[in-house]
Amino acid sequence: MHPSPSFFQRFFQRVETALLRHGTEPKTIFLLAVLSVFDGFLPMLPAEMFVLALCVLQPRKGKVIVVVFALASALSAFLLALGMGTLTASAESLSQKLMGSQGPQVLAMLRDSGPVSMVFLSIFPDSPRSAIALFALSGVSPDSIGAMVFIGKLMLYTVLLLLIHHLPSIVGKWRGVGPFWVKWLQRRASRFVAYCRRIRWRARCLKHGT
């Protein structure tokens, strides 16, 4: 007897079905971008998956998708940093309790290097929530945090877009050629290409009711 799916499983299944069914519509880009603003507060809304699916289903809108979702990530980071920034005074006293006399120096170091390192942290999938909160508490301005997150996510989403467009032709050239690490990379690339094809296939099936 199979256990019944949980609330979150049913929720994600419905989100996935709706995304594949309406993913070819231009308005879906902006609707999901607004929804992904909450990714900074709710980990259950993965913006990267939205970007991947939309770039696969609307390849001609790829550049628009990349910019819109990078802006949404920046807005999400700005709002989170703005909220955490109100606790700056508490952060100063807490740092002194936890780190003693070194507390102010640590916070000063974060203020100096925070915006630059935020670009690096934002390149990775998912929202750098902990880093955003930490840098905001150290006194880095929400504007700087939002701008750096925008740059990092713009780089990440651009790489996703380039992979979707160019990887299928590259995989064919790699097949069965090169040393072990090239073959390992080729297998991962093949899986990524197959995943993109599956997204298109499932979207066509849902659209035609099959």
Side-chain angles (χ1 to χ4, degrees), residues 112-125:
D112 294 337
S113 63
V116 177
S117 58
M118 182 60 68
V119 174
F120 174 76
L121 294 171
S122 300
I123 293 175
F124 295 95

Side-chain angles (χ1 to χ4, degrees), residues 62-101:
K63 294 180 181 179
V64 174
I65 294 169
V66 166
V67 173
V68 168
F69 274 84
L71 287 171
S73 296
L75 178 59
S76 177
F78 173 82
L79 293 175
L80 179 58
L82 195 64
M84 297 301 296
T86 60
L87 304 175
T88 302
S90 300
E92 294 284 351
S93 59
L94 180 61
S95 66
Q96 290 182 358
K97 292 180 181 179
L98 295 177
M99 295 174 281
S101 60

Side-chain angles (χ1 to χ4, degrees), residues 145-160:
I145 293 175
M148 296 303 107
V149 169
F150 172 77
I151 295 172
K153 291 302 181 184
L154 189 65
M155 295 168 65
L156 171 64
Y157 298 154
T158 300
V159 170
L160 277 178

Side-chain angles (χ1 to χ4, degrees), residues 11-12 15 31-52 68-81 121-133 149 152-153 156-157 160:
F11 173 77
F12 283 120
V15 170
L31 177 63
L32 292 180
V34 171
L35 192 61
S36 71
V37 172
F38 295 97
D39 185 41
F41 307 90
L42 300 173
M44 56 188 296
L45 299 171
E48 285 74 20
M49 295 305 298
F50 292 157
V51 172
L52 174 60
V68 168
F69 274 84
L71 287 171
S73 296
L75 178 59
S76 177
F78 173 82
L79 293 175
L80 179 58
L121 294 171
S122 300
I123 293 175
F124 295 95
D126 204 359
S127 173
R129 303 174 192 87
S130 300
I132 292 171
V149 169
K153 291 302 181 184
L156 171 64
Y157 298 154
L160 277 178

